[in-house]
Amino acid sequence: MLQEYKSLVENFYHWEINTPENIYLSQPLGDDYKHYSFAETGNQARRMATALKAMNLPEKSHIGIVSKNCAHWIISDLAIAMAGHISVPFYPTLIDEQINQVLVHSECKVLFVGKLDSWATMKAGIPESVKCIAYPSFYDGCPSTEMDEWDSIIDAHEPLQENIQPKYEDICTIIYTSGTTGVPKGVMLTYGAIIEAITYTKDEVALDLPNARFFSYLPLCHIAERNIVEAASMATGGTVFFADTLESFQKNLQTAMPTHFLAVPRIWTKFQLGILAKMPQSRLDMLLKIPVIKAVIKGKIQKGLGLSNAKIILTGAAPMPPSLLDWYKKLGITIREAYGMSENVGAHSMMPADAIKSGTVGKPYPKVVTRIDPETGEIQMKAPWNTIGYYKEPILTESLLKDGWLCTGDMGEIDSEGYLKITGRVKDMFKSAKGEYIVPAPIENMLLVNPVIEQVCVVGTGLSQPIALIVPSEIGKNMPRENLMESLEETLKRVNPNFKNYEALRKAVVVKDLWTVENNMLTPTMKIKRNVVENYYKNQVELWEELEEKVVFE
């Protein structure tokens, strides 16, 4: 166990020296696994660091990573730090125009290119001035024949012998936001910020747990995965397992049997649907009432999900319906909500394990001071790990950081027990034709309690009353249309009385297409791009508003 947390790379040095033969990274390749010990991980990272230093790049150059999660993502991130440079990771789903924008803005000199679904839609956006290095060819979709390849580079260089010790105030990484409302912004995080965040959240995320195991599948370029997998694994000396493909996800998770596991609400919903497809709710309810069988059923489901050993089970990035949290709790799976963003190293609050309060995102971590702006309802916070600002965006940085307070852009409330509740986004508010401001998130959260709904976006700019655009879940899609309509009508009757008259939904519209990253309706972190969704349905919304039916099908 580490006595004192330092930078990620220095934490890694500790395990490289003290547990060199322990497996650090476990990479599935089809039915086989390729294991990398701490010694081998260090050897490869040090050789690549030597290669980077041999390029004679300017001090603290920006070096990009674009790849799905894999062992070499973490190895290359270590190599960048060992060489004294700054890592700038990008989402592997970007297309040519998007990757070009962030590469040019970040001024990357080198780009590690790895496991990708479609390099063809991306490569035209890579500036000629950026040197590309491909991960080993055994990764699916890796363009190793089009550029210098990892193995040939490390074979040509000796391991770097010196151990860099970064300065507290130096920039460690620049993380580009997912661009929910526009162009992504580069969040600058210092080594000191990451050290502070690890130090003061260690108890909540169980960094003293022996034999820790992690499962990496959410984008590593996102702060949540960077924390709960990369940073936590280097702090604990645990093992990181990866998902190979979407098809092998469940099998890989069962192999990993993680002690720490994070999933966004949409994944928890898919897990639920998978369980109910094998065992209908009525039968599950019946079996859970039988004392002798109850424990067996819970154990079987937990093992089937791969969560038998999980000690820290988290959700975040989007609101989790309380009904879904309760559903899992009955199965012996306690899911704790966490709240944060890139700008505060993903660390604002977490649900206490022994005092869960539904409808909130828990209590702020130690060293976090939180306040609510009395005019806008915005959540603002101070912590020693806040960002120093947005790269090359001084005006945006000014509006983000005011007198030491980080302005989150989220709206919220703090109750008498210190629990934080998220009530919406300041920028998501819209004005109806009656001149009243409407905050859509609370309405959407109440709608999502109905399991026939998978995605929802409440719109209404310029309308007399708001309308809910709904993508049905698999449960909803498999229902007769009449039953789905009846279920949604009942939901409207239940939801509307909870809001003011001008906030009440006029109707629900069931749309045909799922909102995805590929059709640009979702960010890479599965958040709805509200402006894109509104614009897509803009011409139809006014027509739907005139119809008398409470539930309309596109």
Side-chain angles (χ1 to χ4, degrees), residues 424-449:
R425 288 283 294 171
V426 175
K427 290 181 180 179
D428 286 349
M429 284 193 298
F430 58 84
K431 189 184 284 188
S432 71
K434 299 174 183 177
E436 302 283 3
Y437 281 103
I438 297 169
V439 181
I443 307 172
E444 292 166 349
N445 291 344
M446 289 198 73
L447 290 170
L448 284 167
V449 171

Side-chain angles (χ1 to χ4, degrees), residues 186-229:
V187 180
M188 297 182 288
L189 299 177
T190 64
Y191 282 100
I194 296 171
I195 293 168
E196 297 283 358
I198 293 172
T199 300
Y200 288 103
T201 64
K202 66 180 188 297
D203 294 333
E204 284 78 4
V205 295
L207 294 185
D208 59 349
L209 197 68
N211 304 313
R213 296 162 71 91
F214 304 86
F215 185 62
S216 182
Y217 69 101
L218 294 172
L220 265 167
C221 55
H222 187 266
I223 191 63
E225 191 81 350
R226 204 94 175 267
N227 280 348
I228 204 64
V229 171

Side-chain angles (χ1 to χ4, degrees), residues 23 46 78 93 100 107 144 159 249 280 397 435 442 445 458 464 494:
I23 294 174
R46 288 174 180 279
L78 280 168
T93 52
N100 182 266
E107 302 178 277
S144 54
F249 177 92
T397 297
N445 291 344
V458 171
S464 58
R494 174 181 56 79

